[in-house]
Amino acid sequence: IWMKHFANIILLLLILTSCQNNKKTSGIAKTEQKEKIRPYSNLILYDNFDNELILDTISGRRESQFSPVYIGKITDSIELSYKTSKIGHRIEDIDWGKYRSPKATDLNIFIDTTKTIGFPMWIWEYYKAPEHRVNKKSFPIFIKNQSSDTLSIGFGDVLPMLTEVQDSNGNWKQIERQFIYDCGTGLTEFYLPPNQIAISSLRQNYGTNKTKFRVRFRLGDNEIYSNEINGNINNWI
């Protein structure tokens, strides 16, 4: 009887230990899953402007503008710049072609809906106006170079991205016209070293129709898509 009682105690201890380990493993798995879904949730973005931000609308076609507000290392807190001349990470036009264009697997593009930032200055204001941010609520877009090479990611003052939405049939539709410079003379080129990030912004929109948004990056022959987020529009495009 004593041996049977002792064996039952040992069995109970083993079960409790196993349950505790399962809880720990489950907790780790949930943490890893959360970090995978929101990889920049602990990162703080800040700027020097406090003008009120409002929702935008995409009821009409517009020209795309995805200017970087930061390019550099991933740190706990990042100061944003809404004037691209302050961004750095540029190559003069005489050195174009120094770095290759990204392949489909080189960049991870993530729209973070847990944060709100402003929208950069309009392109033609960058070199003639004091730095400011447009009063449009925007989600930060994190673009990480997960390759081992330094990459070319855009030129002039913009990154080669467009906004897409899902229509009522579930098809993805481009809702912006690609911004194109009239002349390429004198334009600089943005570069992104390995394990560093570029941050751009996606305007937050209002409307009566619920849909999904994503951004498409294309430079060279490869297209790279961000995660999909929920949003609203006024009219189906």
Side-chain angles (χ1 to χ4, degrees), residues 38 40-43 110-116 139-140 142:
R38 296 179 178 177
Y40 305 99
S41 58
N42 294 325
L43 192 152
F110 183 80
I111 305 169
D112 188 349
T113 58
T114 68
K115 298 177 177 61
T116 293
F139 293 126
F142 293 90

Side-chain angles (χ1 to χ4, degrees), residues 38-49:
R38 296 179 178 177
Y40 305 99
S41 58
N42 294 325
L43 192 152
I44 299 172
L45 304 178
Y46 64 96
D47 59 44
N48 296 319
F49 303 97

Side-chain angles (χ1 to χ4, degrees), residues 7-45:
N8 288 336
I9 292 174
I10 295 297
L11 180 60
L12 179 61
L13 288 173
L14 289 173
I15 292 172
L16 289 173
T17 303
S18 175
C19 289
Q20 296 227 345
N21 287 337
N22 286 337
K23 286 181 180 179
K24 289 179 181 179
T25 304
S26 176
I28 292 171
K30 288 180 180 178
T31 301
E32 289 177 348
Q33 184 180 16
K34 183 177 180 181
E35 289 177 352
K36 184 177 181 181
I37 295 173
R38 296 179 178 177
Y40 305 99
S41 58
N42 294 325
L43 192 152
I44 299 172
L45 304 178

